[in-house]
Every structure is written in C-alpha cells, then in structure tokens.
Amino acid sequence: MSSALVFAKPDGKVSEAIHIVEYAAARPKSDEVLVEWLAAPISPIDLMVVVGKYPVKPKHSVNGEAIAGFDGVARVLKCGDQVESVKPGDLVVPNTLGLGTWRTSAVLNAKDLLRIPTVTDVVMAALLKGAILPAYFLIEDMRTLRPGDWIIQNAGTGVISQLVVQFAHLRGVKVISVVRDRQDVHLPALQNADIVLREPELPATDLLHGKRIVLGLDSVFGAAAAKVANCISSHGTFVNYGQLSGGGPSASMTLNHRLLFFDRLTFRSFRGTEQTASRSKEELEDLCAWLTHLIDEGMLTRPEIDLLEWAPQVEGFERRVHDALDRAQDSAAVGSRKTLLKFEA
C-alpha cells in the first residue's frame, strides 16, 4: 500500500489539518506515468496551501482529501503506451504546481513532469525546483553581476540564501548574509557567507564601507527589508521574493527619499514560477542537466537541512511529522532549518 499526507480543508494550524492515509496506487492511463516519490521538502508554499492562502490548489486527492506537497523528486516506474518524454528509471521533478508530493507513489500526466539526469544526491534533486532554481534565477535574472560585486541578503540561514551564496561565488561575487538579532552567527548554514551580520547592525557598520553592494535580496519584508535597502549602493537593485515576517498584502516597508531619488535604486519583485515560465521545457532540461552536473562534481553542495525518514508504521511518526510542520509554520523560526521528507530507504 502507498501512503500520503492529506488534509480535508484549509486550517490555520497546519499540523492539525494534516494526517496520514493509505491508498492503493492506480494503473497509469495511456498518457500517464506511475512514479515513486523519493524525497519532498516542507516549504513555505506548502504551508500556505494547507492554510488556504495560496491561489493554486492541490490537484490530487485520496477519498476526497487533498494530497499536500508541491515539490520533490520521483523515479518513473511505469509508463502509459503513448508516453515518450520519459521512461522507467528516469528521475523527474514537477513541471507544474499541485501534484501532491507528500506521498510514496502517484499516477501523473507525463506532461506535468520534467525529466532530470540521474544525480547522486536525491535530497539535492528534491530541492531542484523549489530552491536551487530560484536561487539561480535570483543571481542570473535580477541584474547583471560582475566579479567583485557584493550581494546582501536577509534570512541568511534559509535554504535559498545558502544556495545564493554558492551561485554568487561561482561568479566571483561575494555575499553578506543577515540574520536575526538573537541568531548564532557561527551556524554551519552561514559558514560559506563572506560576511555575517545581525539585523541591528544595519546599515551603520564599518564592514559595509567601500563595498560595491549592487543587489539586495529580501525574503522577510517590513523593517528587515528596509534595512537591506539602506545598505545597497547607488544604482543598485532591491529584490523582494517573500514575506517570512507575515502581515499579508497590507504589510509595508519604509523607503526614504534618498533611496528613490539620490541613490536611484531599482525595486523589483521575484516569483520563481514566472522565471521558470520564461524558459522553454528544453531550456529547463538543459539547465537542470547543468545543475545536476554541478551537484555531482561537488561544485554545488547540500545546504543545512533536516531529514525526516518516511516510516508511517513506526509509533510516533505522525507526531514527528506534526512537530516538523509546527517548526516550519512558527513565525519565530524565520531562517530555521528546512525539513525534507525522505521516502527512499
């Protein structure tokens, strides 16, 4: 039997909505494939879906209950007779939202999957669509970066932030990672950053003087975003790609006249789905091939992450899942380690 994490209806407390069910996997139709999920992260977007604050809803269900999870990596087991894009044994990642990745197996339309090369680390493969690609797009698409440039980013211990550091270093660009006031600046997740600062130190710190800070990346918003903006050099670019601080659409940040008129900063928003949609399926497959090559060569390494081995038959496992969901949803845990469900033994 297969098993999955499902929810009946949106709930403000994710752990109270999610529970484990068992089901029998169906046979694939002519244009479908049967896959086994190998690993899937617990991401902010997944939590927004369960609480009912994300516009895209899960597309699959078990006995009327929605299957959670939007990201992950799977292995193809069987193919329908009209499927030519993948074959048994291929690794695939979601090519659309809402596939329900928090489960052991699934029957999916082949067009909803993107084939990737075999990679030695399935954890990194599971992060490919929801973390590695966004980190790459932030470096590649938001502004031109040259060796010697600097980036400043908040939520410095986050998975995307850790990957931004790695992609920046491949370009000869240095990174300042910012953490909250009480966070340990010596955490392993911060060891690759060139400079680590706490929020209260910004922007008045001598460590920023003389640095060409051309890009600021903000995933927190509010006061934390304003601190990042005030560190960016003239003609630099500020990019917001999230709101870990909460507050919803009415949240705000304060900008002074210097940033807009004298420093002439460019302010941009970022959505990974838009950057992905701007590329053809062939371009994405080529990009994923290059990224998996970097992973296999050790040039792109696994960020600090917690693994939760899938073991629904073990007493207390569902409680461990709920604990992981509580940690992920806790607003005080901004920048805390991401948890990934690992289905493969």
Side-chain angles (χ1 to χ4, degrees), residues 180-195:
R180 293 171 302 151
D181 185 19
R182 295 180 298 277
Q183 277 190 281
D184 182 1
V185 297
H186 301 293
L187 291 170
L190 297 164
Q191 63 185 0
N192 290 326
D194 298 283
I195 295 176

Side-chain angles (χ1 to χ4, degrees), residues 3-63:
S3 52
L5 291 174
V6 301
F7 63 101
K9 59 182 180 179
D11 192 305
K13 184 72 169 176
V14 175
S15 62
E16 294 179 2
I18 290 288
H19 63 101
I20 299 174
V21 297
E22 291 188 338
Y23 61 97
R27 295 176 61 87
K29 298 177 183 177
S30 60
D31 58 350
E32 294 178 330
V33 296
L34 171 65
V35 303
E36 59 175 350
W37 290 102
L38 305 179
I42 297 174
S43 300
I45 187 174
D46 300 316
L47 307 181
M48 291 173 66
V49 170
V50 179
V51 300
K53 293 184 178 180
Y54 195 75
V56 181
K57 309 304 178 186
K59 297 178 179 178
H60 299 266
S61 62
V62 175
N63 297 326

Side-chain angles (χ1 to χ4, degrees), residues 174-232:
K174 297 185 176 182
V175 180
I176 302 159
S177 288
V178 181
V179 298
R180 293 171 302 151
D181 185 19
R182 295 180 298 277
Q183 277 190 281
D184 182 1
V185 297
H186 301 293
L187 291 170
L190 297 164
Q191 63 185 0
N192 290 326
D194 298 283
I195 295 176
V196 179
L197 298 172
R198 293 188 175 93
E199 276 185 15
E201 298 180 80
L202 304 180
T205 171
D206 291 340
L207 290 173
L208 301 182
H209 292 170
K211 293 178 174 57
R212 194 168 65 245
I213 305 174
V214 301
L215 179 61
L217 302 177
D218 164 57
S219 60
V220 181
F221 205 60
K227 285 180 175 290
V228 167
N230 277 280
C231 296
I232 301 173

